[in-house]
Amino acid sequence: MQHIDHLNKLKIISLGIDTYHENVIFMRSDCPICRSEGFTALTRLVVHHNQNSIIATLNVIHSNLLQENEAALSDMAQKRLLVNEGDFISISHLKPIESLSDVRAKMYHKKIDETAYHRIINDITNGLYSDIEIAAFIAACAGDNLDLDEITWLTKAMIDSGFKLKWDKKIILDKHCVGGLPGNRTTPIIVAIVAAAGLTIPKTSSRAITSPAGTADTMETMTNVNLSIETIKEVVDKEGGCFAWGGSVKLSPADDMLITIEKALDIDSSGQMIASVLSKKAAAGSTHVVIEIPLGETAKVRTLDEALQLQYYLKAVGSAINLMVEVLITDGSQPIGKGIGPALEAMDVLAVLRNQKDAPLDLKEKSLMIAGVLLELSGKVEKGKGSTEAKKILENGTAYAKFMAICIAQGGFTEPKFAAHKIEIKSEIAGIVTAIDNRKLAKIANLPEHPIVHRQVFILTHPSAPKYKNSKHCLPFMPSRRENYNIRLII
Amino acid sequence: MQHIDHLNKLKIISLGIDTYHENVIFMRSDCPICRSEGFTALTRLVVHHNQNSIIATLNVIHSNLLQENEAALSDMAQKRLLVNEGDFISISHLKPIESLSDVRAKMYHKKIDETAYHRIINDITNGLYSDIEIAAFIAACAGDNLDLDEITWLTKAMIDSGFKLKWDKKIILDKHCVGGLPGNRTTPIIVAIVAAAGLTIPKTSSRAITSPAGTADTMETMTNVNLSIETIKEVVDKEGGCFAWGGSVKLSPADDMLITIEKALDIDSSGQMIASVLSKKAAAGSTHVVIEIPLGETAKVRTLDEALQLQYYLKAVGSAINLMVEVLITDGSQPIGKGIGPALEAMDVLAVLRNQKDAPLDLKEKSLMIAGVLLELSGKVEKGKGSTEAKKILENGTAYAKFMAICIAQGGFTEPKFAAHKIEIKSEIAGIVTAIDNRKLAKIANLPEHPIVHRQVFILTHPSAPKYKNSKHCLPFMPSRRENYNIRLII
């Protein structure tokens, strides 16, 4: 049954309410349309303006915020509908969204097909789903609910729903770390080495969500990362690599919406994660990708079984979408580098690139290992010779030169700075560090803070003991007041 | 980590925005608290006032709707926090809600225990969950994800989270129909018969959500159904039975919140449904319940296997919560009675009670059958003699007298009326009705309409053919314009 007639028009008032990506329409409860249609709060409606329409959730107003013949849209809804204050909109009932029956089938543990995944992801991308409908889809995909076919179809659907960057080289290199390891800031070093080798590695990275720093945050202490697609292409054409913030490029809108709800629900579902990672790489136009899985009790992936299954799925799905994927399972038992937090990690990166004597050895070695795999993956370097070649490029200063050149091309370079305040916290007893809890370290460094000065955790080691375990270190205690400071461990 | 200090206080402004049961707090994006805390839209916060606190989702305001030091709460949030315009509130960060890890475990198909269900339902009842968190819980329980233990624990948790009506009789009778059958308005007749037999049957019923009429809607055409608990008790003390709208009593707040999200997601999960039905019966203080499952291709329950499993679970869970449950599987292949819609169903009910010659025989026979089972269940009548006794009470007028007495006690009786407009739609061809689609019938009768006059579907039959199938009937075609009218089938 369709309502062909649209109802009386309502005038748009801008209230300026941000409900994030869910479209919301605000109407008065005594508005004639509400009354005649029997609308109540949470009803989903179609809102029309000119030839456009969106679906929005109704929030009812019981005050004079709006007049009887007025309506307001949430910020995103107003943008999507291309409507301004003073314009008129009309409303109609929502016909059932077909892809939601696919979501329900998934909730009842049925396997749904490739077309179903395309329908669902398209509808999510086009703003048709309410937040609870997205939540239901995410919950339905949690655990082991998706088999290999379904993860592949979900990945393809996500690639097709966004747009794809095109490069004019045959080999486009990329890397990703599934996370959970503080201080693991290998990307800038790897990009510098690989670009210096003459290969193309247009690296986009994310900001931190639950960890203390993402690569974008770290790079932002040294250069500009908010690059448009045009600028990214210019920088990469010129220098072979870049350090851009992925968020300014918006390659995968469905992925962003899914991630928002996943974070709100604190779910980490491997099927969704695989689809998210690989679809972003494909959307970025990458052809050869190295994925790192840090394995450890306090990392994201905690058992070897889990890591091996993830490795298997990543390679299989990658293959299905014509992506050459190499997966490295690495040591996730302790942090990498000396610093945790954007500025301190930036300093570690520069120390390695500048071949300083006090540069953190573990960060250097890991970067060389991964860069080596990328060099081999590209075919440019023989198998087994990758990290040797990478080491050469780093130690002869070419990587550092390339790094600076990329920063200049992105807008300039600034030296990262320490925080204004420092505090040294000594342990009250001497002892031997036998284990490090990555999640707790990440938490200390990620406490809510004033946005200008970052809290930084700075861990000193004895020069001859690159690994912290079993060295005479003591962990800092948890600070109880919110201050901006560096913490140093003293031997 | 805890923030012991609460942040600067914000003054409450009443904006009058109804976001239904989810608590929402509106704050300006440039408010010092937002900025220093790094809050963005969709953050969940704790809002404090005096000794009370609630959890609310942040919606950010980018306009002058609020001043920098002001905040607004959604209607329900303001009520829950017991706060008024001009009062001051403070905000703090939200510690993770523990029961959400139980929800996540359920999403990963783990069996969670009795304490977990109690934690989850308590937190939902206390408004701690956002709508997407409730959606995730519902999705996690969908399909066959709950075993018998879990359904029992969920039911117990829902009983414990609401409150329980207490009666001073040992035997409190109740009935429920799982739905899907238009016109199946047996409840008022059954209540009249059972109360006339001297038993206690304090029946609360619901309004329609997706069907054309609930018992409460039908009874509302004849008497007042919005009764407070005190009034319900008075009526039942006096007359043994009542026809109250359950919504005014709020026995099971968690159930209401779950149902709202289930309807929004259009999910019908049997585990949740069993818990919902039985917890409501237990909360109403019932001791003996008859549950009807109409079985048919276009009813809610479509296969005998499904019906038998539902029957088994209902009895098993009922037993675990000390409820005597009898489950009847009935014919769900066609509607009951002559009318669909509140007023027409009320007329059918009165016709049966008044022993009119043209009363719909199928409605009469079904009501007698179920009333008979209730009489036997109570022990008052021997097994096998229930429907005979019920028939006596109906045909000698006692049931009708009791029905009127209950209506008077509830505030009065009015004769139900036809709609102002009628249209007779004749089929264009003659033929034989071989099947009736209950879902389509329900849809016609449930189209959006002006709330004062109800659309009613009125099906005439040949007096000698109480069943519609195989009689010379033709189904009405779907109307294309929205008008208020009755539809009659003409033989």
Side-chain angles (χ1 to χ4, degrees), chain A residues 312-334:
Chain A
Y312 169 68
Y313 275 13
L314 282 163
K315 296 177 75 131
V317 177
S319 169
I321 60 172
N322 295 323
L323 208 60
M324 175 70 114
V325 176
E326 188 60 65
V327 182
L328 307 173
I329 299 173
T330 62
D331 176 15
S333 63
Q334 52 181 350

Side-chain angles (χ1 to χ4, degrees), chain B residues 9-205:
Chain B
K9 294 193 181 286
L10 298 167
K11 188 164 80 163
I12 285 295
I13 302 295
S14 277
L15 291 182
I17 298 177
D18 181 356
T19 59
Y20 217 61
H21 60 250
E22 184 169 23
N23 296 331
V24 178
I25 179 168
F26 300 89
M27 287 166 57
R28 269 176 71 130
S29 54
D30 58 354
C31 147
I33 298 171
C34 270
R35 276 183 304 148
S36 71
E37 288 300 306
F39 291 154
T40 52
L42 285 205
T43 303
R44 300 272 288 162
L45 304 172
V46 188
V47 187
H48 306 265
H49 176 67
N50 297 339
Q51 300 311 317
N52 303 317
S53 63
I54 59 168
I55 297 180
T57 302
L58 174 64
N59 280 179
V60 170
I61 303 257
H62 296 289
S63 69
N64 289 326
L65 209 55
L66 295 171
Q67 296 308 305
E68 254 186 44
N69 63 334
E70 295 175 340
L73 291 168
S74 58
D75 287 354
M76 186 65 76
Q78 219 176 294
K79 283 197 189 86
R80 282 188 178 127
L81 193 56
L82 306 168
V83 83
N84 298 307
E85 185 163 53
D87 286 342
F88 284 86
I89 53 117
S90 60
I91 334 192
S92 62
H93 284 270
L94 176 59
K95 277 185 293 186
I97 297 170
E98 284 191 40
S99 66
L100 285 171
S101 8
D102 299 316
V103 174
R104 275 189 288 276
K106 199 69 219 136
M107 275 195 273
Y108 298 143
H109 310 131
K110 297 191 173 44
K111 181 168 173 165
I112 59 179
D113 64 15
E114 184 162 11
T115 322
Y117 282 102
H118 273 85
R119 270 200 299 259
I120 292 171
I121 294 301
N122 274 342
D123 286 351
I124 291 178
T125 305
N126 292 326
L128 267 51
Y129 276 34
S130 63
D131 279 357
I132 60 177
E133 286 158 345
I134 298 177
F137 175 60
I138 285 168
C141 294
D144 290 323
N145 257 359
L146 303 189
D147 66 15
L148 189 52
D149 284 337
E150 293 181 285
I151 299 177
T152 305
W153 295 331
L154 175 61
T155 308
K156 286 182 169 177
M158 283 169 68
I159 295 171
D160 293 343
S161 80
F163 74 98
K164 222 167 145 143
L165 286 181
K166 289 195 182 4
W167 305 94
D168 51 19
K169 299 279 191 307
K170 274 185 75 180
I171 293 175
I172 305 292
L173 297 166
D174 205 340
K175 79 160 278 283
H176 178 80
C177 176
V178 302
L181 207 52
N184 190 28
R185 209 51 57 202
T186 56
T187 293
I189 302 167
I190 292 167
V191 168
I193 293 173
V194 169
L199 295 160
T200 310
I201 179 162
K203 188 81 189 69
T204 54
S205 304

Side-chain angles (χ1 to χ4, degrees), chain A residues 1-4 7 14-21 26 35-38 40-42 58-65 75 93 96 100 104 107-109 130-133 135-140 142-145 260-261 264-269 443 447-451 478-480 482, chain B residues 1-4 7 14-21 26 35-38 40-42 58-65 75 93 96 100 104 107-109 130-133 135-140 142-145 260-261 264-269 443 447-451 478-480 482:
Chain A
M1 288 289 295
Q2 299 193 50
H3 284 285
I4 306 162
L7 305 167
S14 275
L15 290 181
I17 299 176
D18 181 356
T19 59
Y20 216 60
H21 58 251
F26 299 89
R35 275 183 304 146
S36 72
E37 289 298 308
T40 52
L42 286 204
L58 174 64
N59 279 177
V60 170
I61 303 255
H62 296 289
S63 69
N64 289 325
L65 209 56
D75 287 354
H93 284 270
L100 285 172
R104 276 189 288 276
M107 275 194 273
Y108 299 143
H109 312 131
S130 64
D131 280 355
I132 59 177
E133 287 158 347
F137 174 60
I138 285 168
D144 290 322
N145 255 359
T260 301
I261 306 290
L265 289 173
D266 202 9
I267 300 181
D268 230 323
S269 131
K443 255 195 166 154
L447 291 167
E449 57 192 357
H450 192 289
M478 302 283 266
S480 59
R482 295 170 60 247
Chain B
M1 290 292 291
Q2 294 192 51
H3 283 286
I4 305 160
L7 304 168
S14 277
L15 291 182
I17 298 177
D18 181 356
T19 59
Y20 217 61
H21 60 250
F26 300 89
R35 276 183 304 148
S36 71
E37 288 300 306
T40 52
L42 285 205
L58 174 64
N59 280 179
V60 170
I61 303 257
H62 296 289
S63 69
N64 289 326
L65 209 55
D75 287 354
H93 284 270
L100 285 171
R104 275 189 288 276
M107 275 195 273
Y108 298 143
H109 310 131
S130 63
D131 279 357
I132 60 177
E133 286 158 345
F137 175 60
I138 285 168
D144 290 323
N145 257 359
T260 302
I261 306 289
L265 289 173
D266 202 9
I267 298 181
D268 232 323
S269 131
K443 254 193 166 156
L447 291 170
E449 55 193 358
H450 193 287
M478 301 282 265
S480 60
R482 295 171 58 246

Side-chain angles (χ1 to χ4, degrees), chain B residues 186-229:
Chain B
T186 56
T187 293
I189 302 167
I190 292 167
V191 168
I193 293 173
V194 169
L199 295 160
T200 310
I201 179 162
K203 188 81 189 69
T204 54
S205 304
S206 54
R207 293 197 185 287
I209 305 167
T210 52
S211 63
T215 297
D217 301 302
T218 300
M219 287 311 301
E220 200 168 40
T221 64
M222 294 183 282
T223 184
N224 172 36
V225 298
N226 293 327
L227 310 178
S228 66
I229 294 185

